[in-house]
Amino acid sequence: MEVLDATKIEPRFKHPTIFQKYENLAVGESFILQNDHDPKPLYYQFTAEKGKEFGWEYLQEGPDVWEVKISKLKVA
Protein backbone atom coordinates (compact mmCIF):
# COMPACT_ATOMS: atom_id res chain seq x y z
CA MET A 1 0.00 0.00 0.00
CA GLU A 2 1.33 3.43 -0.90
CA VAL A 3 2.28 5.90 1.81
CA LEU A 4 1.88 9.66 1.45
CA ASP A 5 4.06 11.58 3.91
CA ALA A 6 2.25 14.89 4.42
CA THR A 7 5.19 16.32 6.37
CA LYS A 8 7.11 16.63 3.10
CA ILE A 9 4.37 18.67 1.36
CA GLU A 10 4.30 22.47 1.48
CA PRO A 11 1.40 23.45 3.80
CA ARG A 12 -0.71 25.21 1.16
CA PHE A 13 -0.55 22.11 -1.06
CA LYS A 14 -1.26 19.47 1.62
CA HIS A 15 -5.03 19.09 1.34
CA PRO A 16 -5.15 19.46 -2.47
CA THR A 17 -2.39 16.83 -2.81
CA ILE A 18 -4.15 14.42 -0.45
CA PHE A 19 -7.48 14.85 -2.23
CA GLN A 20 -5.80 14.29 -5.61
CA LYS A 21 -4.26 11.08 -4.27
CA TYR A 22 -7.72 10.00 -3.13
CA GLU A 23 -9.30 10.87 -6.50
CA ASN A 24 -6.70 8.71 -8.29
CA LEU A 25 -7.74 5.63 -6.30
CA ALA A 26 -10.02 3.01 -7.77
CA VAL A 27 -12.97 1.91 -5.65
CA GLY A 28 -11.63 -0.49 -3.00
CA GLU A 29 -8.12 0.95 -3.02
CA SER A 30 -6.52 2.91 -0.20
CA PHE A 31 -3.35 4.68 0.86
CA ILE A 32 -1.71 5.52 4.16
CA LEU A 33 -1.35 9.16 5.14
CA GLN A 34 1.50 9.97 7.51
CA ASN A 35 1.45 13.24 9.42
CA ASP A 36 3.10 14.90 12.40
CA HIS A 37 -0.23 15.82 14.03
CA ASP A 38 -3.76 14.46 14.14
CA PRO A 39 -5.27 15.16 10.70
CA LYS A 40 -8.78 15.60 12.17
CA PRO A 41 -9.49 18.80 10.14
CA LEU A 42 -8.80 16.77 6.99
CA TYR A 43 -11.30 14.17 8.18
CA TYR A 44 -13.96 16.87 8.51
CA GLN A 45 -13.16 18.15 5.02
CA PHE A 46 -13.46 14.63 3.60
CA THR A 47 -16.79 14.19 5.39
CA ALA A 48 -18.10 17.47 3.97
CA GLU A 49 -16.93 16.79 0.42
CA LYS A 50 -17.16 13.00 0.10
CA GLY A 51 -19.85 11.93 2.57
CA LYS A 52 -19.82 8.13 2.85
CA GLU A 53 -17.52 7.62 -0.16
CA PHE A 54 -14.37 7.27 1.96
CA GLY A 55 -12.99 5.13 4.76
CA TRP A 56 -10.84 6.58 7.56
CA GLU A 57 -8.93 4.28 9.90
CA TYR A 58 -6.29 5.38 12.37
CA LEU A 59 -3.31 3.02 12.29
CA GLN A 60 -1.11 5.08 14.61
CA GLU A 61 -2.14 7.99 16.84
CA GLY A 62 0.93 9.99 17.83
CA PRO A 63 2.53 11.38 19.73
CA ASP A 64 5.07 12.03 16.96
CA VAL A 65 3.51 10.27 13.97
CA TRP A 66 -0.09 9.75 12.93
CA GLU A 67 -0.98 7.23 10.26
CA VAL A 68 -4.42 7.05 8.70
CA LYS A 69 -5.60 4.57 6.11
CA ILE A 70 -7.83 6.44 3.66
CA SER A 71 -9.95 4.25 1.37
CA LYS A 72 -12.25 4.90 -1.55
CA LEU A 73 -15.52 3.11 -0.90
CA LYS A 74 -18.28 2.08 -3.28
CA VAL A 75 -21.39 4.17 -2.82
CA ALA A 76 -24.71 2.45 -3.42
Side-chain angles (χ1 to χ4, degrees):
M1 184 174 315
E2 287 191 51
V3 174
L4 178 60
D5 184 350
T7 65
K8 299 193 184 314
I9 304 169
E10 188 176 331
R12 64 188 176 119
F13 295 124
K14 281 187 183 192
H15 285 205
T17 300
I18 294 163
F19 271 88
Q20 187 60 55
K21 180 78 171 168
Y22 172 83
E23 291 300 331
N24 290 338
L25 295 175
V27 172
E29 290 184 334
S30 57
F31 69 95
I32 294 174
L33 175 68
Q34 287 184 336
N35 208 3
D36 58 3
H37 63 274
D38 188 349
K40 190 62 91 174
L42 180 68
Y43 171 80
Y44 293 129
Q45 186 178 355
F46 261 98
T47 300
E49 295 186 20
K50 301 298 177 188
K52 297 183 189 271
E53 294 179 17
F54 76 100
W56 182 276
E57 178 187 353
Y58 282 100
L59 303 177
Q60 185 173 340
E61 296 184 63
D64 298 319
V65 175
W66 275 257
E67 288 189 343
V68 178
K69 179 180 172 185
I70 301 174
S71 306
K72 186 178 266 190
L73 305 177
K74 181 178 181 180
V75 177

